Amino acid sequence: MKRNFFLLAGLISFLCACDNSHDDMYDAEWVREQYENQWKMNFGDIDPNQNFNMATQVKANLTIVEDALSEYTFKIYTANPLYNDDALLMAKTTVTTDAEGYAETSIAFDALVGQENYYVVRMDDHNRRLLKSIKVNNGSIDASFGVVKTQARSRAMETGALPTMDAPYTVAQVNQFIAEGYDLNNGIEYTNYGRPDYGIINHMQQIACPNNNTTGSLIGVVKPGFTSSLGLECTSYLKVKSQYGQYDDRYESVSITEQGTLKLVITNGAVYRISGQIKNVDVIVASGGTLELNGIYMADNARIIVMHGGNVVDRKEGANEWNYGIDHNAKSALIYNAGTCSIGWIGLNFATFYNAPDGVMYVDGIKFTTSESVLTNWGKIEVNRITGNGGKQGTLNNGCLLRSQEKIEIIYLNQDGNTALECEHIMANCITLRENSILRAKHLEVGDGTAEFYYVGKSESSALVSAQKITSPAGAVKVDGAIYFEANEFNSDWVAGLFDGAVADAYGVTKVGESNFAIFPVYKGDEIAESDCTGKGNIPNNYGPPEDDKAQTWRLACEDLGSVGDYDFNDIVFDVTYVAGDDTAYVKPVAAGGTLRTHVCNRVANMTLGEIHELFGFDDITLMINTGVAYDWNGRNGFEGKTIKMKVPTNYSVSENMGGFYLLIENGNNTIYDVQIEPKESGNIPQMICVPSDWRWPTETINIGTAYPEFGLWGQNYGNGTWYNTVETEYVY
C-alpha cells in the first residue's frame, strides 16, 4: 500500500517500476503473485506445519482440595507474578469447592510456542496468592492445590521420629544420692599413695577412698559453703578391704569403665566451679544447684546432667559477656539439660547434646565439628550462632522452639510437628518438616548440588518455609510433600530449580505473610505468651486486591499491500489483548505503513473495527504512521491508536486463524472492498504473522529478514520460537 515514490527504496522495486495501473487500484492477484515469487529468494522454504502464528493452545487442568464451599480463582501467567512485574495474565477462571472441599475445572489459553512452563496462581477470598510452576506436557498443564503426592523418601526421611531420651536419673534417685553421698564440706585430704593405678584426681580421691574407710563412697555431694574449683578425672579407684596400713595389699584397684560410676551432685543453693577436663564422671546439677564453668573439656564417659530447676552458668569475666563453655569430644559424652543453661559456647564432636522438654538454653555459640555431631532440642534454645567446622556439619533435631540471632550451618535439619525454628541465616542441605512446623529465616541458603525438602507429617496438615530471601547454588531442588513456601526474593538458580517443577509436589509459593498456612499462638491475656513450641505462630495477612494484572497481548503484523518486495511487515500492525475466560478482547492499532484505506475486521466477533488511519485519528490515508518515516515524507511517529472492544466467546483464541482477523481494502473509487489479507493455511507464504506484543516491527522498507536475521529460520522450522530475540535494533521501530 506504499505509493510508488517509495518503490525505489524496496529491495526488489524493479518489479513495479513502470506499471502505473497499480497506483490507484489495488490489484490483489498481481501483488500476491509478485510477493510469493520473491519470498523463497528472501527466506527459503516453509515448514509444512508453519502457520506463522506464535500463539498455540495449551489446556490447563486445575484441581483444588481446600476449604469446603469456598470460592477460589485460578490465574495463569507467562512468568512468576509474585516477583516479576512483566508477568502477563493468560487465563483466569473461578471455582467453588463442594462439601468435601473439592473442585476441578479446565481452561484452554493462548500460549507462546516453545515456552515450557507456566505459572498458576490459586487466589482465595482474602486475595492470598499461592503459586506453582507447571511444565507443559503434550499440550497441557496439570496443577493441583492441596493434593499431596506420595513419592520415594530419602535417607533423611527414613530416620523416623526425632530421638528422645529419658533423664539418666529421676528426682528420687538424685535425692538418694544426696542422702548417701560424701559431703565435701566434711573436709578433704589429698594423699598420693604412689600407686600408678590410683588415678583419682584431687578431692574425688577422697570420695572414692577416704583414709581408713572400708566403705569408700563413689558419690560426692556439694552443699552450700563448698567453694573448691577443681577438675574431675578418674580412670580407676582404690577400694579399701581392711583398716590396715596404706601399703597393705588388701587395697583393691577397681577400673571405672561405665558411665555413672563416679558422681558429683550439686545441691540446692550450692555453687560449684569446674575447670579443665572431666572424664568418667557424672556431674549432676540438682534443682536449685548451680554449676559454674571455667572452661570444661568433656572426655570419655563424662556427663553433665542438669535436673529441672538446676542451673549452669559461665563466669562472665571481662568485657566479653560470654567467656566459658563446654567442649564435648567423645561418643560416650553427654550433656542432658532439663534446667537452665546460660553459657558461652558448646563444642560438639561426635558427642550428644540433648535439651529436654523443660530445658532452656542461652548460648553464644554452638559448634558442630564433625558430621556425626547431633543437637536435639525438645525445649527452648536461644543462640547467637550454630556453625560447622569451616562449613556445614552435623544434624539439628528441633522438637520445640529454637532461635538463632545469626546463622545456622548444618547438613540436616529434622523438625518435629508444632515447632518453630527462627534465624537470621540458615544453610542446610536436607530439611525434613512435620505437621504445623515452621522454618523462618531472613535468608535461607540450601544445597551443595541438591537441595532437599521433605514433609513426613500427618496427611491432613502441612508445614511452612518462610524466608525473606532464598538462594541455592546450581543444581536440582527436590520438594516432596505438603510444604508451603513463602519468600520475597529468589535467586535465578533457585527459580530454575524450585519453580520449574519441584514445587508441583508441594503446596506452592507465596510472598511472605500471604500463605494460608495458619498456626495460632498461645495467648496470655492480650499478649502472645510464646509458651508454645511454635512461638508466635503464623497468622496470614488479609491482603487487599492485588494490582491490576497485565494481560497477555499478541501483535499481528500484515504485509504486503503495495510496494511488493520490501517485506517490512509494517503495513498494518495491531495488538490483540485477551485473557482466556473473559468475553471481551481489546484491539489497538500500533502502526500503519500502508497508504490505501484499509479496514480491520474480525469474523469471530462479526464486526468491522474501523479504518486503520482513522483509528489513529487521521483522515489522510497517505500518512505512514509509526514506521520511522520523516514528517516531510508524509510520516507521523509517536501516535497512539484507539482501542476497540470486541465481544468474543469465553474460549476465544488468537491461535486459531489469527483470531479471525482479516483486512478489507478499498479500491480506487472508495466503493468496493476486496478481502486481501487474511490467515493462510500452514505451509503457505504469509501476509499476516502473529507474535508476542514485545516484538518491534521493522522501519519503513526494511526487510524483516534484515531486522530479524533468524526470521527465515522460523519459517523453515515451526518450533524456532526464539527468532525474534535476535534483532538488529537500528532497523526496528
Side-chain angles (χ1 to χ4, degrees), residues 554-570:
W554 301 94
R555 181 156 288 165
L556 275 67
C558 305
E559 181 79 7
D560 185 304
L561 307 179
S563 298
V564 178
D566 62 3
Y567 297 105
D568 54 16
F569 278 87
N570 68 19

Side-chain angles (χ1 to χ4, degrees), residues 54-74:
M54 292 190 67
T56 186
Q57 282 275 283
V58 169
K59 183 179 181 181
N61 302 305
L62 309 169
T63 305
I64 190 167
V65 184
E66 294 198 45
D67 295 339
L69 306 176
S70 298
E71 185 175 273
Y72 293 92
T73 298
F74 293 108

